[in-house]
Amino acid sequence: PTAPVVDLAKEVAALNAENDVLNAAVIAKDADKIVAYDTDDTVAWIPDSPAVHSKAEDLAGWKASFADPAFAYRQTVQRTEVAKSGDLAYQTGSYDLTDTNPTTHKVEHLSGNWINTFRKAEDGIWRSSAFAATQSAPPATALMGRARLCSC
């Protein structure tokens, strides 16, 4: 049998639309809506946060983030790739995050990059299966106050 032809442009558009839904759900502080796009066995690695090993852990993480009045998050997609088979995909992009540092209790503005892999579920929805983020390095001027130069 011949494999069905996948409309890759349509799948890319669907994934990009899901990112818009995610950003809107973050603004609305709707953790349930966010994790509705997770696989049950989703995993995630986010700077300065415990690793996530399930949809339930992801839900708890979002709810904890939303408890911070300063919390804001927005991610921007820079690339979306869908496998020719139409059942796997990934996205890369950047993010901006504002939250309260639990140690200093000061509001911080952070940014970085992310990659997310997706599996297409039987209901036709793309679900996040693995997410990883990196934090951008602080500006060089911020490091100068902390760096100790060798006077060798």
Side-chain angles (χ1 to χ4, degrees):
T2 306
V5 175
V6 176
D7 184 342
L8 296 178
K10 178 182 171 188
E11 299 303 335
V12 166
L15 280 157
N16 291 339
E18 280 188 22
N19 188 70
D20 295 339
V21 169
L22 167 77
N23 284 325
V26 169
I27 291 168
K29 298 188 183 301
D30 188 344
D32 291 309
K33 188 166 198 163
I34 293 167
V35 301
Y37 290 95
D38 284 355
T39 59
D40 288 336
D41 62 346
T42 193
V43 293
W45 300 273
I46 301 164
D48 301 322
S49 296
V52 169
H53 297 98
S54 68
K55 183 187 272 192
E57 288 181 10
D58 197 23
L59 179 63
W62 280 108
K63 286 182 175 182
S65 294
F66 292 151
D68 176 356
F71 183 81
Y73 177 82
R74 179 163 185 81
Q75 67 182 36
T76 304
V77 175
Q78 294 167 338
R79 182 178 185 171
T80 302
E81 294 285 333
V82 177
K84 289 179 184 177
S85 61
D87 60 345
L88 296 171
Y90 75 89
Q91 287 183 315
T92 61
S94 59
Y95 71 86
D96 292 298
L97 169 69
T98 301
D99 67 356
T100 304
N101 181 307
T103 303
T104 66
H105 305 288
K106 292 183 179 179
V107 174
E108 294 182 337
H109 305 284
L110 308 168
S111 62
N113 297 294
W114 56 270
I115 184 166
N116 199 355
T117 62
F118 297 87
R119 294 191 305 243
K120 193 162 190 185
E122 289 184 18
D123 62 4
I125 302 295
W126 286 102
R127 303 213 187 272
S128 172
S129 56
F131 179 89
T134 61
Q135 189 173 308
S136 297
T141 54
L143 293 175
M144 291 182 75
R146 291 188 242 164
R148 196 169 176 146
L149 300 176
C150 176
S151 59
C152 312

